[in-house]
Amino acid sequence: MNPLAIIGRALLDFLAIVGRLTRFLTRSVKMCFLPPFYPRQILRQFIDIGYFSLPVVGLTTLFTGMVLALQSHTGFSRFDAESAIPTVVVLSITRELGPVMAGLMVAGRIGASIAAELGTMRVTEQIDALSTLSTNPFKYLVAPRLIAGTLMLPLLVLVGDIIGVFGGFLVCVYDLQFNAANYISQTWEYLEISDVTSGLWKAAVFGFIIALMGAYQGFNSRGGAQGVGTATTNAVVSASILILVTNYLLTGLFFAGR
Amino acid sequence: MTSTPKIELSGVTKSFGNKTILRGFDLSINKGESLVIIGGSGSGKSVTLKCILGLLDIDEGSIKVDGKEAAHLKRGALDAHQSKFGMLFQGSALFDSLPVWRNVAFKIIQSPHMSTKEAKEHAIETLASVGLTADIGDLYPAELSGGMQKRVALARAIASKPEIIFFDEPTTGLDPIMADVINELIVKSVREVGATTMSITHDMASARKIADRIAMLYEGRIIWHGRKEEIDNSGNPYVDQFIHGRAEGPIKMQVRKA
Ligand SMILES: Nc1ncnc2c1ncn2[C@@H]1O[C@H](COP(=O)(O)OP(=O)(O)OP(=O)(O)O)[C@@H](O)[C@H]1O
Ligand SMILES: [Mg+2]
């Protein structure tokens, strides 16, 4: 094959995937707003995505906050700027590291489990069976996961933010001999509401992406256990990459012109 | 016969990639009739049922249900079309995240006139009619034997008393006595509810019991159909070979000779 044909084929394949994904996305989002709703399913996803991800997100942000304090201390102590550490910690955590770290961890945990569950349902014809029982699979399976992903991730990140800042506090106060009251007041000093809310908006977008990629890959998995395995990998990889890319774009959007 | 057939297929073709499965499938089934499709493994029997249900999109031809075109439906119309059917999948396709009784009651529990308690009672009754006791209702599908799963799937397909019921190999994997119970049940559900049924089976005893008419699928077409009494004198060498299960004859199995 000549090189032009290869490039052309790759481009067409890419466009086909974007097209399918867009169709999947519009159809599932529409189903989030059309009755009937399935409260049992939504509740189950709230618990799965929100509650059971707490330990992972908490641990991740705790150590992120701790290492952040340690690293900025080694840097800032070279020019006597230790007093900036609390601000650096809280801004980095709320704006970037909280949502991104939580997003990536949840992508691994939840993206994979959604893809595996829906993929298994696809290859064992359970999704076909739903249709024959007057239940729209998009409404019953995809919509609850999208709703729960979008609503739960901001909550997780809010908790993660607090734990992350607390991690920085622990290191500074117990390891680096900072004054606890000073640390707390400096944490608040330069923090603006928008620092936190921008991170939470990001989290909502990440939660949506995670659930969408998991559901999309699961729904389109083919051919038994191996197909489900591939779908799971693809879901985690594609969600992680999309999270990093949209994080950059959203940061540009939120903090442009400041 | 002047009334419109319940289901009418004409010139249906279906391929997967470059593999053609159905090449001009014509068949009609009258209301209240029980049709059995026989044919070799991999000849496209299950695919035919999925095409009628709208789970697979056909390439050419037309599928009419109650005189209305049912091929290539859009989402809303497809939901309405599918709600007329009950289907027993070849692989059972039970929802493994739900207990048995919720599987059986899956469709009826969604009706606003049905309380959870009533739905459960109805599910238990339906389970009893397929020879399963009430305590089975609280188990999960993974805890059942293959034959029990098949019976639960059968209960789920008939629980909502649909107008049209498809049985994909309802007696495969059951002992001969239970197979006969299931045959009786299929016959009874047709008589009682006036349902139109299409069944796939390899078991000629079962076919003779449940069928009004038998049709044989070979190489993507119906090569013979007639009343079940006529099958022994069909004069069709393919049918003769099939019903007597002979390796020698016009049907060549795709087995490589060593
Ligand atoms: N989703 C699919 N994608 C690709 N090929 C498929 C798909 N579903 C079925 N086929 C192919 O279609 C053919 C017919 O399959 P089908 O399941 O209808 O057979 P069948 O007549 O029901 O056989 P059996 O009696 O063994 O159940 C097979 O060759 C199968 O490989
Ligand atoms: Mg089959």
Side-chain angles (χ1 to χ4, degrees):
Chain A
M1 243 201 306
N2 74 52
L4 271 181
I6 298 176
I7 297 175
R9 172 120 309 271
L11 183 68
L12 286 182
D13 286 350
F14 175 74
L15 289 180
I17 292 175
V18 172
R20 273 202 297 272
L21 186 60
T22 313
R23 223 176 60 158
F24 187 88
L25 183 146
T26 45
R27 187 184 275 179
S28 347
V29 170
K30 205 166 91 193
M31 291 310 167
C32 292
F33 297 101
L34 292 177
F37 303 106
Y38 297 95
R40 274 171 59 96
Q41 294 300 311
I42 299 179
L43 188 70
R44 205 192 115 202
Q45 295 307 321
F46 274 162
I47 296 173
D48 240 28
I49 300 180
Y51 184 69
F52 288 116
S53 298
L54 262 180
V56 180
V57 170
L59 272 175
T60 313
T61 48
L62 178 72
F63 281 99
T64 307
M66 285 167 65
V67 86
L68 198 58
L70 217 51
Q71 282 287 14
S72 28
H73 181 260
T74 48
F76 287 5
S77 60
R78 292 179 194 163
F79 39 89
D80 293 324
E82 284 102 332
S83 61
I85 294 176
T87 312
V88 168
V89 168
V90 73
L91 290 192
S92 317
I93 291 278
T94 54
R95 283 182 173 197
E96 292 296 337
L97 292 171
V100 172
M101 292 305 255
L104 292 178
M105 295 310 283
V106 175
R109 215 190 86 85
I110 297 299
S113 89
I114 292 178
E117 187 176 351
L118 298 196
T120 306
M121 291 187 73
R122 166 62 78 199
V123 301
T124 56
E125 299 181 318
Q126 293 178 49
I127 294 184
D128 288 340
L130 275 177
S131 307
T132 68
L133 293 164
S134 302
T135 304
N136 184 318
F138 280 86
K139 265 182 213 159
Y140 186 78
L141 295 173
V142 183
R145 287 169 171 80
L146 285 181
I147 294 172
T150 314
L151 296 183
M152 280 296 113
L153 218 67
L155 281 183
L156 277 172
V157 167
L158 189 63
V159 177
D161 283 351
I162 296 169
I163 297 178
V165 171
F166 179 67
F169 172 87
L170 282 184
V171 168
C172 287
V173 171
Y174 292 99
D175 199 17
L176 307 171
Q177 322 304 332
F178 277 51
N179 176 298
N182 272 350
Y183 189 99
I184 293 173
S185 72
Q186 272 165 14
T187 295
W188 287 115
E189 196 170 342
Y190 295 105
L191 183 69
E192 288 173 24
I193 286 287
S194 70
D195 295 323
V196 178
T197 50
S198 69
L200 299 186
W201 281 113
K202 280 180 177 179
V205 175
F206 298 165
F208 181 82
I209 289 175
I210 293 166
L212 181 75
M213 294 321 289
Y216 175 75
Q217 295 292 349
F219 247 62
N220 290 299
S221 65
R222 289 281 173 273
Q226 199 186 5
V228 176
T230 315
T232 309
T233 314
N234 288 347
V236 177
V237 172
S238 56
S240 306
I241 291 174
L242 279 175
I243 285 176
L244 295 173
V245 174
T246 44
N247 180 50
Y248 178 79
L249 297 177
L250 288 176
T251 304
L253 197 70
F254 288 141
F255 300 109
R258 288 223 191 161
Chain B
M1 187 74 80
T2 50
S3 63
T4 44
K6 188 77 181 168
I7 306 174
E8 187 173 18
L9 291 89
S10 43
V12 173
T13 66
K14 172 77 194 167
S15 338
F16 294 103
N18 51 18
K19 195 163 78 178
T20 306
I21 310 295
L22 303 179
R23 22 187 130 217
F25 190 111
D26 301 297
L27 191 67
S28 68
I29 306 162
N30 293 317
K31 188 170 186 318
E33 192 177 33
S34 175
L35 179 93
V36 167
I37 299 184
I38 56 175
S41 187
S43 57
K45 303 180 298 299
S46 301
V47 166
T48 305
L49 295 189
K50 286 184 195 164
C51 287
I52 301 175
L53 281 167
L55 297 173
L56 291 173
D57 215 15
I58 60 172
D59 300 331
E60 288 164 46
S62 106
I63 296 175
K64 287 194 174 119
V65 174
D66 292 324
K68 279 195 307 235
E69 185 59 45
H72 318 296
L73 292 176
K74 292 255 181 312
R75 252 294 145 198
L78 185 60
D79 286 347
H81 167 70
Q82 289 175 335
S83 69
K84 291 180 183 167
F85 293 86
M87 164 102 180
L88 164 66
F89 285 83
Q90 188 169 0
S92 294
L94 296 174
F95 304 124
D96 40 29
S97 60
L98 299 177
V100 164
W101 79 264
R102 275 194 186 274
N103 265 282
V104 176
F106 196 88
K107 185 167 173 183
I108 52 175
I109 212 169
Q110 294 178 28
S111 143
H113 317 292
M114 181 78 74
S115 70
T116 308
K117 189 162 161 287
E118 281 170 321
K120 183 163 187 177
E121 277 165 14
H122 184 82
I124 303 282
E125 273 170 36
T126 318
L127 282 172
S129 70
V130 296
L132 295 171
T133 50
D135 49 322
I136 302 284
D138 293 315
L139 299 178
Y140 280 83
E143 298 168 307
L144 305 181
S145 76
M148 287 158 95
Q149 289 179 359
K150 190 126 245 176
R151 282 185 276 160
V152 174
L154 179 70
R156 184 176 70 178
I158 61 175
S160 64
K161 302 198 175 16
E163 299 168 38
I164 307 170
I165 319 178
F166 289 167
F167 301 102
D168 196 343
E169 307 200 1
T171 55
T172 309
L174 300 180
D175 64 79
I177 301 171
M178 191 44 77
D180 201 54
V181 171
I182 297 302
N183 290 335
E184 296 272 342
L185 188 76
I186 292 173
V187 173
K188 201 175 83 185
S189 70
V190 180
R191 275 205 211 102
E192 274 178 8
V193 214
T196 308
T197 67
M198 237 169 122
S199 318
I200 294 173
T201 184
H202 294 296
D203 168 3
M204 288 313 296
S206 165
R208 285 172 207 274
K209 187 136 196 173
I210 58 187
D212 296 322
R213 271 197 311 145
I214 300 180
M216 172 144 174
L217 177 62
Y218 181 68
E219 293 197 327
R221 294 188 189 86
I222 294 294
I223 54 160
W224 183 86
H225 69 94
R227 304 198 53 76
K228 70 173 159 192
E229 300 80 17
E230 297 162 7
I231 195 159
D232 292 309
N233 310 309
S234 64
N236 185 315
Y238 294 89
V239 175
D240 280 342
Q241 186 192 351
F242 190 87
I243 61 177
H244 296 113
R246 285 192 292 255
E248 299 301 317
I251 306 175
K252 295 280 178 269
M253 282 289 147
Q254 309 284 347
V255 191
R256 206 172 296 154
K257 290 273 183 332

